Amino acid sequence: KNEVEQSPQNLTAQEGEFITINCSYSVGISALHWLQQHPGGGIVSLFMLSSGKKKHGRLIATINIQEKHSSLHITASHPRDSAVYICAVRPLQGAQKLVFGQGTRLTINP
Amino acid sequence: DTGVSQDPRHKITKRGQNVTFRCDPISEHNRLYWYRQTLGQGPEFLTYFQNEAQLEKSRLLSDRFSAERPKGSFSTLEIQRTEQGDSAMYLCASSLDSHLEQYFGPGTRLTVT
């Protein structure tokens, strides 16, 4: 079992829908990252959080440390949000590296 | 552009050849990380440097792989005697401190034929 699991693996929605991507992890962590990867490979960091909730524009990220779970929400989704969204954790042990989920491929249709 | 850069962006090579990739981190960042991403998967950690010192290597990094960061600035990742299984996206990231955000480069996509 991977240390970081994301669901769903693929998600297709219509423009304007509210999107939720989930991430569960099995190790103690010092931080959790949400990343966005567009075709071509470039990765952009969206959020780094260790507790609570963060919001940036239409994106909201939450984390529950006790339940080892995080969610990424996109409100009023738009076709330009289509990308792969990756959850990554920074484990307490060996805290120099990130451990990644397999990614969620999001497609927003107009 | 002051972000992380990687060169080349794409590399096609024949099995058995050696390849070398370069990563230029954000200039004041002392930590540099290499990751590998195969199709449909999330990235996997390969190795990281603090300044010029290579402090951790994944067991994914076989003897055919070597990474250097000779002056604590840019880094190179060399793969000797490439195999088809080495085909992947090789990502570099840098950070100012181990507990701060990592900034990723665009990646080098390697195809071994």
Side-chain angles (χ1 to χ4, degrees):
Chain A
K1 188 180 190 301
N2 294 335
E3 290 177 303
V4 182
E5 296 276 354
Q6 287 184 235
S7 63
Q9 291 192 7
N10 293 283
L11 178 58
T12 299
Q14 291 299 121
E15 183 173 357
E17 286 189 36
F18 181 82
I19 302 299
T20 296
I21 299 171
N22 296 299
C23 175
S24 296
Y25 52 93
S26 57
V27 296
I29 67 170
S30 60
L32 181 143
H33 299 249
W34 281 103
L35 309 165
Q36 181 191 56
Q37 186 172 33
H38 279 282
I43 290 179
V44 175
S45 178
L46 299 174
F47 295 103
M48 182 176 72
L49 64 166
S50 55
S51 65
K53 175 179 174 178
K54 286 190 176 181
K55 184 176 189 291
H56 185 256
R58 295 180 295 106
L59 302 177
I60 303 166
T62 64
I63 188 168
N64 185 319
I65 293 293
Q66 287 73 30
E67 294 187 3
K68 293 187 166 62
H69 182 269
S70 175
S71 293
L72 176 68
H73 305 285
I74 305 175
T75 61
S77 59
H78 190 276
R80 66 174 173 266
D81 297 326
S82 298
V84 175
Y85 292 84
I86 303 173
C87 170
V89 301
R90 190 186 301 276
L92 289 172
Q93 301 288 334
Q96 309 306 330
K97 64 190 180 192
L98 295 177
V99 179
F100 296 81
Q102 77 276 29
T104 294
R105 182 173 298 278
L106 174 65
T107 303
I108 304 296
N109 292 319
Chain B
D1 185 9
T2 57
V4 179
S5 61
Q6 292 187 244
D7 183 69
R9 295 290 306 276
H10 303 274
K11 179 70 177 178
I12 300 174
T13 192
K14 293 188 177 183
R15 189 178 55 185
Q17 298 294 307
N18 299 343
V19 294
T20 300
F21 310 141
R22 176 179 169 126
C23 170
D24 286 88
I26 294 172
S27 60
E28 64 268 24
H29 285 187
N30 57 356
R31 291 181 182 257
L32 186 148
Y33 307 80
W34 284 100
Y35 298 94
R36 181 173 70 184
Q37 185 179 26
T38 53
L39 203 60
Q41 301 298 316
E44 297 173 290
F45 170 79
L46 292 179
T47 188
Y48 97 95
F49 293 84
Q50 180 174 332
N51 300 312
E52 66 276 8
Q54 187 174 19
L55 296 186
E56 187 174 348
K57 292 169 61 173
S58 163
R59 56 183 180 274
L60 292 175
L61 217 63
S62 75
D63 291 345
R64 297 184 297 105
F65 287 71
S66 63
E68 293 183 342
R69 194 182 182 197
K71 297 182 180 178
S73 56
F74 72 92
S75 175
T76 58
L77 178 68
E78 181 184 15
I79 309 174
Q80 297 182 325
R81 304 181 303 282
T82 52
E83 302 174 356
Q84 286 187 320
D86 298 331
S87 295
M89 175 76 83
Y90 290 83
L91 293 160
C92 175
S94 71
S95 71
L96 187 55
D97 187 284
S98 64
H99 298 291
L100 296 180
E101 190 170 347
Q102 292 183 21
Y103 293 82
F104 286 82
T108 294
R109 184 172 296 282
L110 173 66
T111 303
V112 182
T113 61

